[in-house]
Amino acid sequence: MDLFPFDAGLQPIPIEDGELALLPQLPLPIDNAEVFARLLRDTEWRHESVVVYGKRHLQPRLTAWHGEAGYGYSGLYLAPLPMTPLLEQLRGAVEGATGHRYNSVLLNYYRDGADSMGMHSDDEPELGPHPAIASLSYGAARAFILRHKRTGRTLKFDLADGNLLLMAGALQQNWLHGINKTVKPVGPRLNLTFRYIA
Ligand SMILES: O=C(O)CCC(=O)C(=O)O
Ligand SMILES: [Mn+2]
């Protein structure tokens, strides 16, 4: 049965100074619960530390970096692990849905509402000036925050199980994004950001 009989494509989210689009459910031959369970079980999750304002501290989430090249941010260098068959399958589906190519993926595991990601841009030079970054979410819904660097305008919407969000164009130049902590009871969430590292 086709779950999205009206329009299975990415829906643009109108926004100034950048491109944003959402696909409510990435189509795959396996269901979301199985993707979630396999990613959770088979990933070599690491608790990494980063340097923020000169001080080193543990990130409030677990991560893993897979792909062709290493990647670094905030005093952290991530040596790449090889893509797994499941990550290859997800990459193929995400490339088909977004029309962009990716050679790496950062996996984030938010264990509960105390895990978060500070406001940031994915603007490392190796991503290029207008990177297409495809963000795929499984498990509990969490609020995704976008804040315009110049005007401070803030947008907030949930990223829920199976959602695919494409960030592209000048978005990383002009906007910050992040996931706040929440005191609401929330279950675990996995997020995968597919990137192309030159
Ligand atoms: O968890 C999310 O939705 C965002 C993750 C993110 O921004 C990143 O990995 O750079
Ligand atoms: Mn990011």
Side-chain angles (χ1 to χ4, degrees):
M1 194 183 80
D2 188 352
L3 290 174
F4 296 99
F6 305 110
D7 187 352
L10 274 173
Q11 301 296 310
I13 299 173
I15 190 172
E16 68 276 19
D17 302 329
E19 290 169 29
L20 203 58
L22 185 75
L23 180 63
Q25 175 62 57
L26 178 70
L28 281 175
I30 39 178
D31 66 22
N32 291 346
E34 187 180 343
V35 176
F36 179 86
R38 285 174 57 188
L39 288 171
L40 192 59
R41 187 192 63 203
D42 297 340
T43 304
E44 281 181 43
W45 296 107
R46 296 175 60 108
H47 202 182
E48 306 273 10
S49 65
V50 288
V51 178
V52 180
Y53 299 121
K55 231 181 128 214
R56 185 165 283 280
H57 64 95
L58 282 171
Q59 289 184 315
R61 67 182 176 283
L62 306 185
T63 56
W65 173 252
H66 290 254
E68 288 169 10
Y71 186 56
Y73 61 89
S74 305
L76 169 65
Y77 174 75
L78 299 166
L81 295 166
M83 296 292 273
T84 63
L86 177 57
L87 291 174
E88 286 292 6
Q89 187 176 9
L90 295 173
R91 169 168 67 170
V94 168
E95 288 182 343
T98 63
H100 292 277
R101 294 185 53 233
Y102 310 95
N103 61 5
S104 320
V105 58
L106 178 66
L107 290 89
N108 292 304
Y109 171 20
Y110 303 84
R111 294 159 292 180
D112 56 30
D115 276 354
S116 60
M117 188 167 210
M119 298 301 289
H120 68 282
S121 303
D122 295 313
D123 57 1
E124 287 73 28
E126 58 269 41
L127 293 169
H130 282 174
I133 297 178
S135 160
L136 179 60
S137 296
Y138 288 102
R142 292 288 295 265
F144 183 78
I145 320 281
L146 277 160
R147 182 170 306 126
H148 196 285
K149 290 183 190 176
R150 188 171 40 82
T151 66
R153 189 164 95 87
T154 302
L155 307 175
K156 184 174 168 180
F157 51 89
D158 271 357
L159 289 179
D161 193 42
N163 284 183
L164 176 67
L165 179 75
L166 176 66
M167 300 184 275
L171 194 92
Q172 304 297 334
Q173 271 170 19
N174 294 309
W175 295 79
L176 303 167
H177 61 271
I179 301 280
N180 285 351
K181 296 183 193 307
T182 175
V183 292
K184 289 186 206 142
V186 286
R189 166 178 186 260
L190 301 180
N191 174 266
L192 298 83
T193 48
F194 289 87
R195 300 143 189 259
Y196 192 91
I197 306 288

